[in-house]
Amino acid sequence: MAKKKEEAKALLYKGRQLVKRGNVIIYGDACDKYYLRMTILKTKMVEDVEVATYIYIELISSADDKTVKKAERQDMYEALDIGGFWLEEALGAN
């Protein structure tokens, strides 16, 4: 008998999807008018876990793939805080 493929559960943060590939994290849906792209520039090891210590954040317009806003933050919490605010503001304004 054929086995059913087990669907991977998406990681959500504040109801929006978070997808990581390599050192790039996409927050939101790329099919929406805007989404957030976070690039991890520096990391450090804390015990056995690699932790992001410097993140470049971009609010991207899906229509033309252009950067609307950009910033740099020292940790993931700060990056998601400002990036999430930008994304909610951009999607709520429509």
Side-chain angles (χ1 to χ4, degrees):
M1 295 204 149
K3 290 184 179 180
K4 282 187 179 180
K5 284 188 177 179
E6 193 172 313
E7 290 185 31
K9 298 197 181 217
L11 179 62
L12 298 178
Y13 178 74
K14 293 189 178 180
R16 299 204 183 276
Q17 190 172 8
L18 260 161
V19 178
K20 181 177 187 274
R21 183 166 205 157
N23 67 338
V24 176
I25 300 169
I26 302 296
Y27 178 54
D29 189 350
C31 295
D32 285 345
K33 195 167 184 180
Y34 297 96
Y35 64 94
L36 199 68
R37 178 172 53 208
M38 297 179 284
T39 306
I40 300 169
L41 300 176
K42 293 182 184 177
T43 61
K44 70 176 180 179
M45 292 300 289
V46 176
E47 295 191 19
D48 293 338
V49 179
E50 192 173 21
V51 176
T53 58
Y54 199 72
I55 299 105
Y56 181 71
I57 313 152
E58 298 173 277
L59 179 66
I60 308 289
S61 170
S62 295
D64 51 8
D65 236 10
K66 291 193 178 180
T67 301
V68 177
K69 292 184 179 183
K70 58 186 174 182
E72 297 173 358
R73 291 294 182 262
Q74 295 296 318
D75 64 28
M76 188 57 70
Y77 174 78
E78 291 177 4
L80 277 171
D81 187 40
I82 189 70
F85 176 77
W86 289 348
L87 188 59
E88 289 300 320
E89 183 179 52
L91 293 175
N94 299 324

